[in-house]
Amino acid sequence: MVHQDQGQLVQEVAAGGLPAPPSRYVLKEEARPTAGGVAVPELAFPTVDLQRLAEPGDVEEAAKLRSALDSWGLFAVTGHGVPEELLDGILDATREFFHRPAEEKLEYANRTDDGEFQPEGYGIDRVDTDEQVLDWCDRLYLTVQPEDKRQPRFWPPSLATLLHEYTLRSERVAKRVLRAMARALGFGEEFFLDKVGERGGTDARFTYYPPCPRPELVYGLKPHTDNSVVTVLLLDPDVGGLQVLKQDDDGERWVDVPVLRRHELLVVIGDEMEIMSNAAFRAPTHRVVTSNRERMSLVMFYQPEPHRDLQPAKELVDETRPAMYRKLKAKTFGDGFWDAFALGERTLDFLKVKIDNKDAVSSA
């Protein structure tokens, strides 16, 4: 566990009406979202219909999925089967929770009795040093699957029933995506699901981004890749802020993910899938920028069983494409994520998971 000086919750800082964020949140000039005065273009966004994708004969929808995976590593999904009233209800309940008085929310604080940080609960992300630049967000982080791993003391009653139902529904979305990804590589539908295991873990992150007086100075959430096989996001239906780092022949550039159509979900490839697929599918680096409007999201991270070996599938390793990542336990990778995230590093790099193999092919 890590002791930290939490400081104020971001929502309390924002409520103070300061003309600019305190220095703990201000990025160095070269790291700011508008560094160099370059406008961020909007992503020509891929959308996949999961209902059509489930039909093996729908070649067109399968091609759209593969194109999205190869070019961006994320895509919107329609036809996902999650009731609209559930999506609206859990967003409304999320907003209601974050609008409560601070003393009520702190009943679910992410601190042990000794004041140490723990991932679950309400608060801010882990802070290791006084020099660490803080993100402009508060969050509620919960383990939701397997059910016997839940800690009810962190579950606000107003969210509990909705979150349980949403967990089951969004898990079906993740599994349908994993089946389609397996088919995209020419394997049976259970190829990736078998590697995740029947008791794979799921964590939920509710994130609240208060209005910011100087959005150009801060990150809502620092650049990162996800600790997941796949991630399913329910985004704010009115306010954007998510950006993805696009790599092409012209180098790297940040691109806006547009506000999705109401009741669409977003799927993002995580680090564990990048490892298991031997980089056939890559986890995109993404971040959140702020604005003068409040924004919130609900993100579900789907992970392998902690005792599983995390490594490139042997079917995706051969002489022309050697293994690009070393083997490690899924729990080791998950634990390393928190250290890497606090430092602003990608977990793959922090844990030195990549293999320096000059003969490895750069893309599938």
Side-chain angles (χ1 to χ4, degrees):
M1 294 291 185
V2 176
H3 286 281
Q4 74 174 39
D5 176 14
Q6 163 131 346
Q8 277 187 289
L9 293 155
V10 183
Q11 199 169 357
E12 295 176 356
V13 175
L18 298 173
S23 59
R24 287 297 307 272
Y25 301 91
V26 176
L27 297 161
K28 294 181 179 179
E29 188 170 354
E30 64 273 13
R32 293 173 186 173
T34 54
V38 178
V40 176
E42 188 172 281
L43 171 63
F45 205 67
T47 302
V48 176
D49 186 326
L50 281 188
Q51 191 169 358
R52 290 183 56 186
L53 194 63
E55 302 171 3
D58 197 323
V59 178
E60 180 181 348
E61 210 64 24
K64 286 170 60 178
L65 172 68
R66 187 59 194 258
S67 176
L69 293 169
D70 291 344
S71 58
W72 293 102
L74 75 170
F75 51 94
V77 292
T78 59
H80 46 66
V82 184
E84 294 180 357
E85 58 270 22
L86 176 58
L87 298 175
D88 292 337
I90 200 164
L91 280 178
D92 289 344
T94 300
R95 191 180 305 274
E96 185 274 333
F97 172 78
F98 283 109
H99 283 178
R100 289 183 187 181
E103 59 270 19
E104 292 185 21
K105 291 178 289 189
L106 286 173
E107 294 177 9
Y108 312 97
N110 57 345
R111 291 291 175 277
T112 66
D113 293 338
D114 295 330
E116 295 176 335
F117 172 87
Q118 57 188 3
E120 283 200 72
Y122 166 75
I124 66 173
D125 288 306
R126 198 178 91 186
V127 180
D128 287 354
T129 68
D130 291 337
E131 292 74 33
Q132 184 175 330
V133 178
L134 305 183
D135 292 331
W136 191 260
C137 69
D138 295 332
R139 50 68 142 188
L140 173 67
Y141 197 95
L142 303 171
T143 292
V144 296
Q145 291 285 57
E147 288 189 36
D148 58 12
K149 298 297 184 183
R150 294 178 181 178
Q151 298 193 62
R153 64 192 177 98
F154 291 121
W155 287 54
S158 60
L159 283 170
T161 300
L162 288 166
L163 180 56
H164 174 73
E165 179 63 21
Y166 183 74
T167 295
L168 300 179
R169 296 278 189 166
S170 59
E171 183 178 46
R172 294 174 197 168
V173 173
K175 288 181 176 180
R176 290 167 72 181
V177 169
L178 290 174
R179 290 187 178 103
M181 292 173 68
R183 292 200 306 268
L185 293 177
F187 300 119
E189 287 192 340
E190 304 303 305
F191 182 76
F192 288 122
L193 287 171
D194 287 343
K195 300 182 187 311
V196 170
E198 294 183 358
R199 283 176 55 83
T202 305
D203 292 333
R205 178 185 173 116
F206 298 82
T207 309
Y208 180 81
Y209 305 91
C212 184
R214 294 286 303 278
E216 74 279 9
L217 299 181
V218 306
Y219 281 141
L221 198 61
K222 65 177 68 67
H224 63 283
T225 50
D226 287 346
N227 172 31
S228 70
V229 179
V230 293
T231 306
V232 177
L233 296 84
L234 175 58
L235 299 177
D236 195 298
D238 300 310
V239 182
L242 182 63
Q243 296 181 339
V244 60
L245 186 62
K246 174 64 173 173
Q247 299 183 4
D248 52 30
D249 294 339
D250 298 324
E252 295 183 339
R253 59 194 173 99
W254 287 101
V255 179
D256 275 331
V257 174
V259 174
L260 302 184
R261 295 184 182 90
R262 190 171 291 272
H263 303 130
E264 288 184 344
L265 299 173
L266 183 73
V267 175
V268 178
I269 304 309
D271 283 332
E272 282 95 329
M273 174 57 73
E274 181 168 327
I275 294 171
M276 290 193 302
S277 71
N278 203 27
F281 304 130
R282 292 182 181 270
T285 299
H286 48 288
R287 68 185 185 186
V288 177
V289 296
T290 64
S291 70
N292 59 3
R293 301 173 65 187
E294 71 172 12
R295 178 181 180 272
M296 59 196 64
S297 63
L298 169 55
V299 184
M300 308 289 279
F301 303 97
Y302 296 89
Q303 299 152 348
E305 294 174 331
H307 65 274
R308 294 269 176 159
D309 286 331
L310 190 59
Q311 62 186 325
K314 65 180 188 305
E315 296 89 344
L316 293 168
V317 176
D318 56 33
E319 292 182 356
T320 63
R321 190 180 184 86
M324 300 177 69
Y325 308 92
R326 66 179 178 86
K327 180 173 72 173
L328 73 169
K329 292 293 183 183
K331 185 181 188 307
T332 301
F333 191 88
D335 291 344
F337 168 80
W338 295 106
D339 296 325
F341 185 77
L343 293 171
E345 294 186 21
R346 193 180 187 196
T347 315
L348 291 172
D349 299 327
F350 178 80
L351 293 179
K352 297 179 172 58
V353 179
K354 292 183 180 179
I355 296 174
D356 184 14
N357 191 324
K358 296 180 180 179
D359 295 326
V361 182
S362 60
S363 62

